[in-house]
Amino acid sequence: MSERKVLNKYFPPDFDPSLIPRRRQPKNSQQVVRLMAPFSMRCNTCGEYIYKGKKFNARKETVEGEDYYGIKIFRFYIKCTLCSAEITFKTDPKNTDYAAEHGASRNFEPWREEKAVEEEDRLAKLEEEENNPMKALENRTVDSKREMDILDALQDIRARNARNERVGQSVDLLERLGTEDIETEEDRERKIAEEEDEKLVREVFARVPASEASASSGAGSSRDGGTESIITVKRKATTQEPELRSLLPESTRALLSAASSIGAPAAKRKKLEVKSGLGIRLKGKAKAAV
């Protein structure tokens, strides 16, 4: 069973292919082939319809005395599926098609009649132009206008293609530039908003030297190394800047007035007891002896 599938057969050493007798076949022998109906047809004997693509076991032969520029023409023999009548058709290389020959007629196919209709229209147009010179002039005018429109459309297409080729090379660059423009616009808007916020903060908060506020007040009036300390004064966002003294409390203003009229007295240091400073508490007699 496996030997029938083997491609390489055994040939003995004394094998001579010239001794094999050749088969004698007629010059125009027929071959059995498997094919499908190339077109829909109707049997002339029984009227049975055979649709396109129906499979048949057909006989093929070469048509003697017919060719198309050296291309051979083949004839096929099939049988009707209902009455088994013989039907023949052959190849048509001129029209790249098949032609029904005997036993069946081809069904009507309107798209195959377009050439005949176009030829009839052309002949009728020529005859009308011969009899009517004005009609011939009108037809020539229409034809020339159609040709000009076609040329204009072709020129537009060529110009558009050339423009697309030029633009296509810089599409990526334009996209990058568009992205950068968008980012720059966003940065500009953010910067403007930040500047407005800073301006509002400067209007609400003012930084002034502490020496202007008070020379003797305990907070924010010290000088270290000859540099003036800076204090931040909160104020309302108005167009007119308020006076610095008006921002201080009443007690501080009174103290500043007294200090300006009379020199500020030296601050007295409170004498601290040594024992209390060391955290020693005396009780009873020890306290009385002290």
Side-chain angles (χ1 to χ4, degrees):
M1 292 296 293
S2 61
E3 191 173 326
R4 65 185 179 85
K5 297 181 181 180
V6 177
L7 299 178
N8 297 326
K9 303 295 184 180
Y10 172 74
F11 294 97
D14 58 348
F15 175 73
D16 188 2
S18 62
L19 299 177
I20 299 175
R22 297 181 178 275
R23 292 188 302 172
R24 298 294 180 181
Q25 294 182 352
K27 187 177 181 180
N28 189 13
S29 62
Q30 295 181 353
Q31 301 176 5
V32 178
V33 294
R34 183 75 171 173
L35 56 78
M36 293 186 294
F39 50 83
S40 60
M41 64 188 80
R42 183 173 183 268
C43 180
N44 294 336
T45 305
C46 63
E48 176 70 10
Y49 287 95
I50 301 173
Y51 58 86
K52 181 179 179 180
K54 178 70 176 176
K55 294 182 179 180
F56 291 94
N57 291 325
R59 292 178 289 119
K60 184 184 77 170
E61 68 177 8
T62 304
V63 179
E64 295 293 336
E66 295 185 17
D67 63 351
Y68 180 73
Y69 294 105
I71 300 175
K72 294 182 179 180
I73 297 176
F74 299 98
R75 181 182 289 114
F76 300 91
Y77 297 86
I78 62 174
K79 291 185 178 180
C80 178
T81 56
L82 183 62
C83 64
S84 298
E86 191 174 60
I87 300 172
T88 62
F89 56 88
K90 59 183 180 180
T91 59
D92 187 8
K94 181 179 180 180
N95 300 318
T96 63
D97 199 2
Y98 291 83
E101 188 177 18
H102 176 73
S105 59
R106 191 165 182 165
N107 293 341
F108 176 70
E109 296 173 350
W111 60 87
R112 300 187 181 277
E113 304 295 333
E114 292 180 357
K115 293 184 178 179
V117 173
E118 291 177 359
E119 186 66 19
E120 292 178 0
D121 294 341
R122 188 180 66 83
L123 294 176
K125 183 178 179 181
L126 292 175
E127 184 179 358
E128 185 180 9
E129 290 178 356
E130 290 179 358
N131 298 330
N132 190 355
M134 294 300 296
K135 188 66 176 179
L137 179 61
E138 182 180 353
N139 291 339
R140 285 196 297 271
T141 305
V142 173
D143 294 340
S144 62
K145 183 179 179 181
R146 186 184 301 110
E147 291 178 0
M148 292 298 295
D149 294 341
I150 293 172
L151 291 176
D152 293 342
L154 182 60
Q155 186 66 24
D156 293 341
I157 292 172
R158 289 176 178 174
R160 190 182 305 112
N161 292 339
R163 185 170 60 254
N164 291 339
E165 290 179 359
R166 292 194 302 270
V167 173
Q169 299 176 357
S170 59
V171 169
D172 297 335
L173 179 60
L174 291 176
E175 290 180 355
R176 291 196 297 270
L177 291 176
T179 306
E180 292 177 358
D181 293 341
I182 293 173
E183 293 178 355
T184 306
E185 185 67 23
E186 292 178 356
D187 296 340
R188 189 181 299 108
E189 293 179 357
R190 184 167 57 254
K191 186 176 180 181
I192 293 172
E194 291 177 356
E195 290 179 355
E196 292 178 355
D197 295 341
E198 289 292 337
K199 184 178 179 181
L200 182 60
V201 169
R202 285 194 300 270
E203 291 178 355
V204 175
F205 296 96
R207 300 178 66 83
V208 297
S211 59
E212 296 182 8
S214 174
S216 61
S217 60
S221 62
S222 63
R223 295 188 180 183
D224 297 333
T227 58
E228 295 181 353
S229 60
I230 305 299
I231 63 173
T232 303
V233 180
K234 185 176 180 181
R235 60 188 178 182
K236 294 183 179 180
T238 57
T239 56
Q240 185 177 1
E241 186 176 355
E243 189 179 356
L244 184 59
R245 286 180 174 275
S246 63
L247 300 175
L248 299 176
E250 295 180 358
S251 60
T252 305
R253 286 201 298 268
L255 185 61
L256 288 175
S257 300
S260 60
S261 59
I262 303 173
K268 295 182 179 180
R269 293 184 63 184
K270 186 178 180 182
K271 186 176 181 181
L272 299 176
E273 296 181 359
V274 178
K275 294 181 180 181
S276 62
L278 295 177
I280 300 174
R281 298 180 64 184
L282 300 177
K283 296 183 179 180
K285 297 180 179 181
K287 187 176 180 181
V290 174

